[in-house]
Amino acid sequence: MELQAKVRSYIENNLVVFEENVQFSDDDNIFERGFVNSLFAMKLLNYIEQDFGITVDNEDLDIANFSTVNNIVSLIEKKRSGVS
Amino acid sequence: MNTKTRSIEAYRRQLVEEAHVFADREIRPFAADFDERGQLSKDLIGKMAERGYLSASFPERYGGLALDPVHYGLFTEVIGKACCNVRTLITVNTSLIGETLLRYGTEEQKNEWLPKIASGEKVGAFALSEPLVGSDAKNVQTAYRREGNKYVLNGKKKWISFGDLADFFIVIAGDRGQVTAFLVERTQGDITSTPIQGMMANRASHIAEIEFKNVEVPAENVLGPVGGGFAYIVSTALDHGRYSIAWAGVAIAQEAVNAMVAYARTRSQFGERLHQHQLIKGMIGDSITQLHAARALCRKAGELRRDRDAEAVIETSIAKYFASKAAMQLATDNVQIHGGNGISNQYPAERLFREAKVLEIIEGTSQLQQQMISDYGLQKYFVKRPNLSEERSGH
């Protein structure tokens, strides 16, 4: 599965809205839209570090880096390429 | 499992066994006294530090015993069986503070604080709850403001375990919607702690109200990212806290089972031992089933945490919810089986009963756990099925 789809699928599996036809774009802020609960930031961080084998430093923990599918993908790509 | 892994496992098992012996000799005989006097002995804290019991899950380079989550859980159980207050010291210092520092602390912060926690030189407290804010931690009233290269903290915290004994605090404070965590030394400014009396349980956990008045904290004492105090620090600390409390539930449940079994085998009524009465057998049978189920959930959570599995957080929440509920149920049944003796402080049953209740409240109430578990299940167990009426009509 490509990176974008993998991240999207993880978020979809952790949504706390239970309407079948819920939709969000890759640029939607999942926290502001109330799509995930308060535990999710920590869960997401653990998931990214574990599944993609990267370490996210404190300076990258800005919630904005985790707020949309595209931002999460950018962060993973940045860490993978070793750009700090 | 290879030879090296087996020998590490055996070593960790041995450490837990030694802790069990220590707890039976150095903690259990004094548990009722701690509860009655409302304080722990500093001598005991020193003895625990010497053995690495204040830092059991820390890496060895910080003075810890490097126990993995499963063995750390078993360790928590053996201490918790002997005394709830001593176990609280470990929950706060090792789980809430130590584990959070390990995850988010800078190298300087880890090197500064973890060895001091391990050696017992410094006792910490996690200052989150407030007079008006409990579960709603995003809305803390304790405020910070930035002034140059430092922050200034003002506000009141309440129900802080070890708050009256602590040499330093992790303080959760807010500034215009942003929540940030700070490492604050008691000597850093005008910090007053007032012990809270009249507690139902955790009477020797030095629970206090703490007031911070214009306390200046250097910028390097921010723990984790500015603005990440809730999303990362509180969430992580409470996740570790929940894991510890889950095992604390197993500890009380095990103590309750031991006590009810001993009492049922020695006490006679109507010319028969209590255990010969069928209704008592029913209570004991249910209790043992609950105990085993609680321990199984805790072990599963521990294994997932050890493997850094993404499901570890929710399984920890499930274990905490179930084990704390089981502890309360078994402590209640233990009092019931003890009859009049159960409500007297001549038996440990009443103390276990009081202490069990706390576990359903701290580190997220049972109702918050239910909510999180429900959210998880509503997503995970939803099976999309085709709309049969549409299929039949060919749409």
Side-chain angles (χ1 to χ4, degrees):
Chain A
M1 201 189 291
E2 65 158 319
L3 179 57
Q4 193 106 1
K6 205 173 167 191
V7 168
R8 197 177 164 83
S9 165
Y10 184 74
I11 292 170
E12 282 170 352
N13 288 332
N14 280 278
L15 293 180
V16 294
V17 285
F18 307 114
E19 304 307 321
E20 270 197 72
N21 54 358
V22 65
Q23 293 192 341
F24 63 99
S25 78
D26 287 349
D27 284 316
D28 274 339
N29 187 317
I30 54 173
F31 291 98
E32 283 176 5
R33 291 196 64 183
F35 281 1
V36 290
N37 64 20
S38 59
L39 274 182
F40 189 65
M42 180 184 65
K43 274 183 78 173
L44 183 58
L45 178 61
N46 291 345
Y47 162 73
I48 291 170
E49 293 198 329
Q50 195 60 20
D51 270 52
F52 299 99
I54 56 176
T55 302
V56 181
D57 307 314
N58 276 358
E59 50 266 33
D60 289 316
L61 287 178
D62 186 337
I63 203 77
N65 286 335
F66 301 89
S67 59
T68 72
V69 172
N70 283 337
N71 290 357
I72 296 166
V73 169
S74 300
L75 177 70
I76 295 169
E77 283 173 342
K78 185 178 91 170
K79 301 310 282 184
R80 274 177 164 177
S81 67
V83 180
S84 59
Chain B
M1 201 185 283
N2 62 33
T3 313
K4 192 179 171 196
T5 313
R6 250 199 309 274
S7 75
I8 292 172
E9 278 279 313
Y11 173 65
R12 288 170 173 164
R13 267 203 310 276
Q14 187 194 327
L15 284 177
V16 173
E17 195 40 52
E18 284 170 10
H20 204 165
V21 172
F22 175 88
D24 279 346
R25 194 182 59 228
E26 303 282 350
I27 302 175
R28 182 184 293 278
F30 310 104
D33 186 52
F34 294 153
D35 178 62
E36 205 172 307
R37 287 192 301 115
Q39 55 182 19
L40 286 188
S41 112
K42 289 224 167 176
D43 182 47
L44 171 63
I45 296 175
K47 283 181 182 171
M48 291 180 65
E50 270 173 30
R51 288 164 178 77
Y53 293 167
L54 301 181
S55 52
S57 64
F58 296 2
E60 285 166 350
R61 67 179 178 281
Y62 298 119
L65 300 178
L67 290 186
D68 67 292
V70 173
H71 288 89
Y72 176 58
L74 294 168
F75 166 81
T76 304
E77 181 190 342
V78 300
I79 301 293
K81 276 170 55 183
C83 176
C84 166
N85 291 294
V86 176
R87 192 271 311 145
T88 302
L89 177 69
I90 290 168
T91 298
V92 172
N93 276 267
T94 312
S95 292
L96 284 170
I97 294 179
E99 296 277 6
T100 308
L101 266 166
L102 276 167
R103 177 65 186 83
Y104 293 109
T106 61
E107 274 314 305
E108 291 74 19
Q109 288 170 340
K110 287 191 253 192
N111 288 328
E112 168 75 14
W113 293 104
L114 294 174
K116 288 178 180 169
I117 295 171
S119 68
E121 185 188 336
K122 301 276 186 189
V123 171
F126 194 78
L128 170 63
S129 300
E130 300 184 345
L132 299 178
V133 176
S135 301
D136 186 14
K138 270 183 198 162
N139 289 311
V140 285
Q141 308 288 300
T142 298
Y144 71 87
R145 63 175 190 273
R146 180 149 195 162
E147 282 186 4
N149 203 27
K150 64 177 193 269
Y151 292 86
V152 182
L153 269 59
N154 278 290
K156 268 188 191 170
K157 296 291 181 180
K158 197 172 181 183
W159 314 119
I160 307 305
S161 294
F162 289 92
D164 200 40
L165 197 69
D167 302 292
F168 73 101
F169 308 88
I170 291 181
V171 182
I172 309 299
D175 176 30
R176 290 164 290 176
Q178 276 211 321
V179 176
T180 301
F182 300 89
L183 281 156
V184 182
E185 287 201 66
R186 185 184 283 272
T187 53
Q188 217 145 12
D190 190 353
I191 300 173
T192 319
S193 65
T194 311
I196 299 176
Q197 307 294 344
M199 299 298 291
M200 181 173 82
N202 283 25
R203 290 175 177 168
S205 296
H206 300 264
I207 296 174
E209 184 165 318
I210 304 160
E211 185 163 12
F212 301 86
K213 281 188 191 162
N214 290 316
V215 176
E216 295 184 357
V217 182
E220 61 264 27
N221 282 27
V222 169
L223 177 60
V226 171
F230 181 81
Y232 303 110
I233 305 299
V234 172
S235 295
T236 300
L238 293 185
D239 171 53
H240 285 286
R242 277 193 285 275
Y243 184 61
S244 181
I245 296 303
W247 282 100
V250 173
I252 288 184
Q254 180 69 69
E255 275 296 288
V257 163
N258 291 358
M260 70 172 73
V261 163
Y263 197 78
R265 285 176 58 140
T266 51
R267 171 89 168 175
S268 294
Q269 290 290 290
F270 304 104
E272 286 184 324
R273 300 286 190 202
L274 288 187
H275 71 83
Q276 291 169 302
H277 296 269
Q278 286 204 339
L279 291 176
I280 300 291
K281 276 186 193 292
M283 290 170 82
I284 294 173
D286 281 357
S287 297
I288 291 165
T289 307
Q290 295 266 314
L291 168 65
H292 286 208
R295 185 176 282 113
L297 283 172
C298 286
R299 269 193 170 270
K300 182 184 177 191
E303 286 161 8
L304 293 172
R305 296 174 81 84
R306 180 192 60 200
D307 300 341
R308 297 178 180 278
D309 192 291
E311 297 285 284
V313 174
I314 193 68
E315 291 297 339
T316 297
S317 180
I318 292 170
K320 190 270 184 188
Y321 171 55
F322 187 88
S324 59
K325 201 172 172 181
M328 189 69 250
Q329 183 60 54
L330 272 58
T332 305
D333 288 349
N334 184 38
V335 169
Q336 192 69 18
I337 288 172
H338 277 71
N341 285 327
I343 50 174
S344 148
N345 67 3
Q346 299 305 300
Y347 285 79
E350 66 88 29
R351 180 162 48 80
L352 288 176
F353 176 81
R354 291 187 278 112
E355 289 167 348
K357 187 66 217 168
V358 181
L359 305 184
E360 294 188 302
I361 296 168
I362 54 176
E363 264 74 342
T365 61
S366 289
Q367 290 66 38
L368 279 175
Q369 308 309 322
Q370 285 175 302
Q371 205 170 307
M372 288 192 286
I373 297 163
S374 169
D375 283 349
Y376 164 79
L378 281 164
Q379 195 59 253
K380 184 175 174 78
Y381 298 115
F382 176 61
V383 181
K384 277 189 184 168
R385 300 194 192 284
N387 186 324
L388 293 177
S389 59
E390 281 181 9
E391 268 193 353
R392 279 192 204 106
S393 64
H395 292 294

